[in-house]
């Protein structure tokens, strides 16, 4: 790729071993890498499963893999071989963070349980991303995004609109849990800066997504005994949705009292300014069916573009319903610089979203694109003190592997 401008990320100097695969762990470690951490992707000889998921120009370099593994280096290490444990131990002693998604029992068998890792390196932050907490009857069960959407109530919530449970059309459990994992790891690193001590971080998907869903959906059960049903009121009734216009759909959310007063003027219903059902937020929540009904009745009279222009002039929150295909050309995303095109050394021109937030002193960014399998095996082992002859011997024994 064309060398990007160098940046000084907030996590510069933090060395991360990423033994995870697919989306959750790799996305979490990519977030650390985007902020300057040196993330070493430790892969089995067959490589991360995500390497084969999605369209690809070359084997092992699929779209899904490329989206979760930028700013990393790849080392192939066959942890099923006894000799690999000594290699991994050396890596652990010289690292700050280890992320893995191996089930707890299997992790102990290959020597990456928290107790052993912290005996090797007391300053290590060991992060275990998993399906379910080890405390409870679901401990150790296999889990993927759909399983967690089902278990956490998210799939059932979709039945409010579809009439039957459905998975959200996004890997929402993986990606949301990845955010929590990155947050937990950085928090543990902050603690280490103060105390000098590492710690074990467990991030279970089921518990994380249940907590995520229940922020608004615990609703009346926030109080014990309950004073209302679960599920956020306007969602439970099915009225919260995009509204049809003369030529498409619009998202429209007048929320404050002042916005509602302006809304009634814009849609030609000034008499509703005096209606007590719309006077306060509490009243609008109680009467959400009537409130959303007024929105739906109003929007069919004009085109989406006409409504968007009118509502923006009145400072009322509104956006057209956009397709995924429209987003690369969205003027806001272009102006804010979200999209990046870069030349990958083997995969040609790639497009991807960059870091969506900014830090004034340590902004983060993209230094390198996702590596081929084993691309940095020699480089990484050399940095950890392995002589070239020792690396060659490990390659000959099948303990490590180089890119083909």
């Amino acid at each position: 790729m064309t060398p990007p401008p160098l940046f000084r990320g907030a996590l510069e100097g933090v060395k991360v071993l990423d033994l995870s695969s697919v989306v959750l762990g790799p996305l979490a470690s990519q977030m650390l890498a985007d902020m300057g951490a040196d993330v070493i992707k430790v892969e089995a000889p067959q490589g991360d499963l995500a390497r084969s998921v999605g369209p690809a120009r070359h084997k092992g370099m699929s779209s899904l893999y490329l989206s979760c593994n930028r700013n990393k280096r790849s080392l192939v290490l066959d942890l099923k071989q006894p000799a690999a444990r000594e290699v991994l131990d050396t890596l652990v002693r010289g690292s700050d963070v280890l992320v893995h998604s191996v089930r707890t029992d299997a992790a102990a068998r290959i020597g990456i349980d928290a107790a052993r890792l912290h005996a090797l390196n007391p300053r290590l932050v060991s992060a275990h991303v998993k399906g379910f907490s080890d405390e409870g009857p679901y401990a150790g069960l296999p889990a993927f995004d759909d399983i967690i959407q089902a278990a956490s109530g998210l799939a059932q919530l979709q039945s409010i609109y579809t009439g039957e449970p459905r998975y959200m059309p996004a890997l929402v459990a993986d990606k949301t849990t990845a955010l929590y994992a990155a947050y937990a790891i950085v928090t543990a690193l902050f603690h280490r800066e103060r105390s000098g001590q590492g710690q074990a971080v467990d991030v279970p998907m089921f518990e994380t997504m249940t907590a995520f869903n229940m922020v608004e959906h615990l609703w009346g059960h926030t109080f014990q005994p309950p004073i209302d049903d679960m599920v956020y009121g306007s969602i439970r009734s099915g009225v919260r949705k995009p509204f049809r216009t003369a030529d498409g759909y619009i998202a429209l959310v007048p929320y404050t009292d002042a916005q509602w007063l302006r809304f009634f003027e814009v849609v030609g219903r000034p008499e509703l300014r005096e209606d007590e059902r719309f006077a306060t937020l509490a009243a609008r929540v109680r009467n959400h069916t009537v409130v959303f009904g007024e929105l739906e009745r109003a929007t069919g009279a004009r085109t989406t573009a006409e409504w968007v222009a009118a509502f923006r002039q009145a400072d009322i929150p509104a956006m057209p319903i956009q397709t995924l295909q429209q987003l690369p050309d969205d003027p806001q995303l272009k102006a804010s610089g979200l999209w990046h095109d870069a030349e990958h050394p083997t995969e040609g021109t790639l497009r991807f979203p960059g870091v969506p937030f900014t830090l004034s002193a340590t902004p983060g960014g993209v230094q390198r694109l996702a590596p081929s399998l084993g691309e940095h095996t020699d480089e990484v082992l050399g940095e950890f003190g392995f002589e070239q002859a020792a690396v060659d011997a490990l390659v000959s024994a099948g303990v490590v592997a180089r890119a083909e």
Side-chain angles (χ1 to χ4, degrees), residues 391-400 402:
V391 175
D392 292 340
L394 289 169
V395 171
S396 297
V399 176
V400 303
R402 302 179 173 114

Side-chain angles (χ1 to χ4, degrees), residues 106 133 313 330 380:
S133 169
Q313 185 174 7
D330 181 278
V380 169

Side-chain angles (χ1 to χ4, degrees), residues 118-345:
H118 288 273
L120 290 169
N121 182 356
R123 286 177 52 83
L124 185 74
V125 172
S126 63
H128 188 184
V129 294
K130 61 187 72 171
F132 304 91
S133 169
D134 289 336
E135 303 299 323
Y138 303 162
L141 291 179
F144 288 95
D145 194 277
D146 292 353
I147 299 299
I148 300 303
Q149 287 199 40
S152 67
L154 192 58
Q156 180 62 32
L157 276 171
Q158 310 312 308
S159 66
I160 293 170
Y161 298 105
T162 64
E164 62 182 5
R166 292 283 181 88
Y167 303 128
M168 287 190 67
L171 298 178
V172 64
D174 278 330
K175 293 185 290 186
T176 300
T177 308
L179 288 165
Y180 277 85
Y183 159 64
I185 291 167
V186 171
T187 301
L189 285 170
F190 184 74
H191 168 75
R192 193 187 72 171
E193 289 303 300
R194 288 180 162 179
S195 68
Q197 293 297 310
Q199 62 181 296
V201 173
D202 272 16
V203 188
M205 296 173 73
F206 176 49
E207 284 78 1
T208 298
M209 286 307 298
T210 299
F212 175 84
N213 290 336
M214 287 302 189
V215 168
E216 73 276 33
H217 292 311
L218 198 57
W219 201 243
H221 284 239
T222 300
F223 306 91
Q224 295 296 310
I227 61 173
D228 198 351
D229 292 336
M230 284 190 183
V231 184
Y232 188 62
S234 61
I235 292 177
R236 185 172 68 230
S237 64
V239 296
R240 183 174 177 265
K241 60 184 178 181
F243 299 108
R244 187 182 292 276
T245 65
D247 65 348
Y249 289 87
I250 189 172
L252 172 62
V253 189
Y255 197 77
T256 67
D257 297 348
Q259 288 168 351
W260 273 98
L261 292 176
R262 295 195 298 270
F263 170 77
F264 292 134
E265 293 291 342
V266 171
V267 300
R269 298 291 303 280
E271 73 278 6
L272 292 177
R273 292 165 58 100
E274 308 303 323
D275 192 320
E276 292 185 356
R277 295 173 298 177
F278 302 95
T280 66
L281 176 59
R284 291 190 293 273
V285 170
R286 286 194 305 270
N287 297 285
H288 56 259
T289 301
V290 176
V291 168
F292 279 89
E294 285 300 328
L295 295 176
E296 191 163 24
R297 276 189 287 276
T299 57
R302 302 188 200 176
T303 66
T304 300
E306 289 171 337
W307 279 129
V308 168
F311 291 135
R312 287 184 182 171
Q313 185 174 7
D315 196 26
I316 296 169
M319 281 294 289
I321 301 299
Q322 299 201 108
T323 65
L324 296 180
Q325 289 74 20
Q326 289 174 289
L327 295 179
D329 295 317
D330 181 278
Q332 171 68 26
L333 299 180
K334 282 187 171 182
S336 63
L338 179 71
W339 297 111
H340 294 264
D341 285 4
E343 293 299 316
H344 191 284

Side-chain angles (χ1 to χ4, degrees), residues 1-2 4 30 51 54-58 60-71 328 337-354 366-372 375:
M1 65 181 285
T2 303
Q30 179 175 277
R51 286 182 176 273
R57 287 175 175 154
H58 299 96
M61 300 295 283
S62 73
S63 59
L64 186 64
Y65 166 76
L66 293 168
S67 296
C68 298
N69 291 284
R70 67 185 179 216
N71 284 330
L338 179 71
W339 297 111
H340 294 264
D341 285 4
E343 293 299 316
H344 191 284
T346 62
E347 305 312 303
T349 303
L350 302 180
R351 172 169 293 178
F352 53 90
V366 181
Q367 299 261 37
R368 63 174 87 223
L369 299 181
S372 59
E375 180 178 344

